[in-house]
Amino acid sequence: MASQVTKNKIKKCAKCNMTENKQSGFKKYVNSTVLADEINNMLTVNCVIGDFIFVFLFKLRSGNSNNMIAAILGLERPQQVSDFSTSILQSFEKDVLPSRFGIRACCRQFLITQTAPVARQLHDISDNQLVLVCDGTYLRHEKSSNNEYQRKSYSRQKKAPLCKPFTVCTTNEPYLCKTSIRPSLPPELRFCCVLNAIKNAWFYTIGKSTFYKIVPEVCEIICTKIGPLFLHPPSTSDLKRIADEYKENFDFPHCVGALDGRHCPIRQPPHSGAEFYNYKKFYSIVLTAMCDEHKRFTFLNLGSFGSWNDASIFHYSDIRQNLKNNVINLPRVEELPNSDTILPYVIITDGGYPTKNYLMKPYMKIPQMTVPMKVFNFRLSRARYIIEAAFGLLCNLWQVNEIPLGWKLSITEAIIFSTLCLHNAKITLDLHESRGYYDHCIDSAQVNEQQIEEENDDQARYNFNEFNVRAILQDYFVSPAGAVPYQWHNI
């Protein structure tokens, strides 16, 4: 019956400003027998149900005035638009909303079943936990005749009267889903579009303005959802495993990673002067990172000025602060392989960084180097090349790191950080690793104080300073316990 009543009205709307998508949407709601049966018994005005629903939906969809809607639909007077809408709203508020919306409309167990599996995995939600998402959004409305409400609802920033409804929903929707009046892009398309953009270029027929909105949103999702799984600080046992791999593959014992920096090109930020202008004659921010034997990044610091040198960047980086405050728990001092010599675990780097008892760099600017010095430089450089290979693989896979990025600095850092997350994820998934490397995370609030005391006692007992550690490694590499045959042909 509703379809017959509103058939002529739909034709009238189609002649005015209603597209085929809106017509099909109206037909779907108007012909809904469940909705019609419920509202038919609740309406306070004696009229056909189709007129009420259709006028109300048309008012919501078009946003036209009552006079225009009455003229389009052929109503007797504009007041009928308000009467129809008021009756629908009163009926929904009285009977439909309490039974279909709100806490009373569903039980706790039903809400638990609406939790998405990906949300359970990412946020470590148990089967009996209830997780809801709460948020609010601003809605514009007409100026109210109530002066007190008008003063409270008027936004000086938006220059319009606003209200902010607060909503609570479950987590059974994809993270990249969008709602809009126009048909939204599927999450798969949005994700693939950004992947193509940060890899080389985009090949999708979407507008540039839409693309520029998609990139920050998707990169934020990558950083917050993929980052905690594949890019977070390794535990002490993980660092010990990394050191064993360096010893096995590069013949450099007690090494927990290789450290280096890379200049990520950007366009000059406004009012920045020469802060981001580096010695290579372009503007950049510096990525300082450490990697393991598989070229996966373990620790990183992003966003330093391009004009700074490596030593200054490292001095103010989170990596140095965490090493200094024992947030990064290096393995305890141990004996070198096939030797009784005790040595702490170290990080290897190039000559631009300072020498620390945990940071080893090659000998530099010495006119006449001895054979042990040359052997030490060769062994360190051979193990350190892995960080250079990691940066090369990063740029080869995600070529957005090779072009000057013209975004805001916060968005630029999010784009670069998302490529690091995807870099680690790709390598880990390719390796099919099942040892639980990315299932460990360091929490500064849970640092073992007893272990830190023991490590500090060991440091004090053996008096390890930066030059002492380097001298011990230098002598070890030329001793029968630590020498390798190929080193003598490369010095």
Side-chain angles (χ1 to χ4, degrees):
M1 179 177 66
S3 178
Q4 295 176 356
V5 172
T6 57
K7 184 176 181 180
N8 295 330
K9 290 185 174 60
I10 292 177
K11 291 182 179 180
K12 292 180 180 180
C13 296
K15 294 179 181 179
C16 179
N17 60 352
M18 181 178 291
T19 63
E20 294 182 359
N21 291 333
K22 289 186 177 181
Q23 291 183 45
S24 61
F26 282 157
K27 292 177 182 179
K28 174 183 177 182
Y29 286 109
V30 172
N31 294 333
S32 177
T33 56
V34 177
L35 186 64
D37 292 339
E38 287 189 359
I39 300 178
N40 195 25
N41 299 324
M42 296 179 248
L43 293 176
T44 58
V45 181
N46 186 14
C47 187
V48 180
I49 181 64
D51 289 339
F52 281 83
I53 299 176
F54 188 85
V55 172
F56 179 70
L57 292 177
F58 186 72
K59 175 71 174 176
L60 293 180
R61 286 295 187 100
S62 65
N64 294 331
S65 63
N66 293 347
N67 293 330
M68 183 175 294
I69 293 176
I72 294 174
L73 301 181
L75 301 179
E76 295 180 359
R77 59 187 188 279
Q79 185 61 31
Q80 285 183 302
V81 179
S82 298
D83 294 340
F84 291 176
S85 301
T86 302
S87 298
I88 292 290
L89 291 175
Q90 290 177 352
S91 301
F92 265 75
E93 183 179 359
K94 180 180 178 182
D95 296 303
V96 177
L97 293 180
S99 62
R100 296 205 173 192
F101 296 89
I103 299 178
R104 297 181 180 179
C106 54
C107 62
R108 173 186 173 86
Q109 190 60 35
F110 172 76
L111 294 177
I112 292 177
T113 59
Q114 299 301 309
T115 304
V118 64
R120 292 186 182 278
Q121 181 180 2
L122 292 178
H123 303 290
D124 194 19
I125 303 171
S126 63
D127 295 337
N128 296 326
Q129 282 184 313
L130 172 60
V131 177
L132 299 175
V133 181
C134 307
D135 198 2
T137 183
Y138 286 103
L139 298 179
R140 297 176 182 265
H141 58 78
E142 295 182 356
K143 184 178 180 179
S144 174
S145 59
N146 188 331
N147 294 332
E148 182 179 358
Y149 177 78
Q150 173 62 21
R151 287 194 300 270
K152 293 181 179 180
S153 63
Y154 186 79
S155 172
R156 294 183 178 181
Q157 181 182 4
K158 303 292 185 178
K159 306 298 182 182
L162 303 173
C163 65
K164 189 174 185 179
F166 188 77
T167 58
V168 181
C169 63
T170 57
T171 60
N172 59 346
E173 288 293 334
Y175 285 102
L176 295 179
C177 277
K178 301 289 289 184
T179 57
S180 175
I181 297 177
R182 298 177 299 174
S184 59
L185 298 177
E188 296 81 2
L189 176 60
R190 296 161 58 83
F191 187 70
C192 293
C193 176
V194 174
L195 285 185
N196 253 313
I198 61 180
K199 182 173 178 59
N200 39 41
W202 66 82
F203 301 102
Y204 296 93
T205 56
I206 62 175
K208 283 190 175 183
S209 60
T210 303
F211 172 79
Y212 291 143
K213 291 180 181 179
I214 290 175
V215 170
E217 295 174 354
V218 176
C219 288
E220 182 181 359
I221 296 296
I222 294 174
C223 296
T224 56
K225 305 305 175 184
I226 299 180
L229 296 177
F230 298 98
L231 184 59
H232 57 71
S235 64
T236 305
S237 60
D238 294 328
L239 293 176
K240 183 67 169 61
R241 180 182 58 81
I242 293 174
D244 294 340
E245 292 176 346
Y246 267 88
K247 174 62 177 68
E248 180 181 354
N249 294 280
F250 302 113
D251 294 316
F252 199 103
H254 287 213
C255 176
V256 296
L259 179 75
D260 202 0
R262 180 184 182 276
H263 288 274
C264 303
I266 62 172
R267 294 182 184 176
Q268 182 185 11
H271 314 293
S272 62
E275 289 181 331
F276 295 92
Y277 195 72
N278 59 35
Y279 71 97
K280 297 181 178 181
K281 310 301 181 182
F282 63 87
Y283 294 93
S284 66
I285 58 176
V286 180
L287 166 64
T288 303
M290 191 170 75
C291 74
D292 64 1
E293 190 268 342
H294 299 292
K295 306 184 184 70
R296 290 177 300 189
F297 297 105
T298 53
F299 300 102
L300 61 92
N301 183 81
L302 177 62
S304 302
F305 295 128
S307 59
W308 289 9
N309 57 32
D310 292 339
S312 300
I313 293 173
F314 180 77
H315 180 77
Y316 293 102
S317 67
D318 296 335
I319 300 176
R320 176 185 172 275
Q321 297 299 326
N322 292 338
L323 286 168
K324 180 180 178 181
N325 299 329
N326 293 308
V327 176
I328 299 177
N329 289 327
L330 295 178
R332 296 186 59 188
V333 294
E334 293 180 357
E335 295 179 351
L336 289 170
N338 305 321
S339 174
D340 296 334
T341 306
I342 303 297
L343 193 73
Y345 283 78
V346 297
I347 303 169
I348 58 176
T349 184
D350 60 15
Y353 290 87
T355 304
K356 303 285 184 181
N357 59 354
Y358 54 82
L359 196 64
M360 291 290 102
K361 71 175 185 179
Y363 289 99
M364 297 181 62
K365 298 181 180 180
I366 298 179
Q368 295 181 351
M369 285 191 183
T370 62
V371 172
M373 290 181 180
K374 294 180 180 180
V375 171
F376 175 83
N377 283 2
F378 167 74
R379 297 279 289 271
L380 186 144
S381 300
R382 181 175 180 270
R384 196 192 64 83
Y385 98 94
I386 195 67
I387 185 64
E388 303 286 356
F391 284 140
L393 180 62
L394 174 70
C395 297
N396 187 36
L397 289 177
W398 315 105
Q399 296 182 11
V400 70
N401 292 283
E402 292 286 354
I403 61 175
L405 297 176
W407 306 78
K408 294 181 180 179
L409 284 179
S410 59
I411 300 177
T412 298
E413 293 179 6
I415 294 174
I416 297 174
F417 190 82
S418 64
T419 60
L420 296 171
C421 297
L422 295 172
H423 171 89
N424 275 19
K426 182 181 183 302
I427 294 177
T428 302
L429 295 176
D430 288 345
L431 291 173
H432 298 288
E433 189 171 73
S434 60
R435 288 175 286 182
Y437 167 68
Y438 49 83
D439 292 336
H440 297 83
C441 184
I442 290 178
D443 187 355
S444 58
Q446 300 178 359
V447 175
N448 191 334
E449 299 293 341
Q450 182 178 0
Q451 180 182 1
I452 293 177
E453 276 186 23
E454 292 175 356
E455 291 180 355
N456 291 336
D457 290 344
D458 288 337
Q459 296 286 344
R461 185 188 309 167
Y462 295 103
N463 192 23
F464 289 117
N465 58 53
E466 54 269 26
F467 301 106
N468 189 14
V469 173
R470 189 163 63 173
I472 292 174
L473 281 173
Q474 166 190 318
D475 296 337
Y476 174 76
F477 286 152
V478 295
S479 67
V484 290
Y486 58 82
Q487 68 184 23
W488 308 111
H489 305 287
N490 294 277
I491 60 174

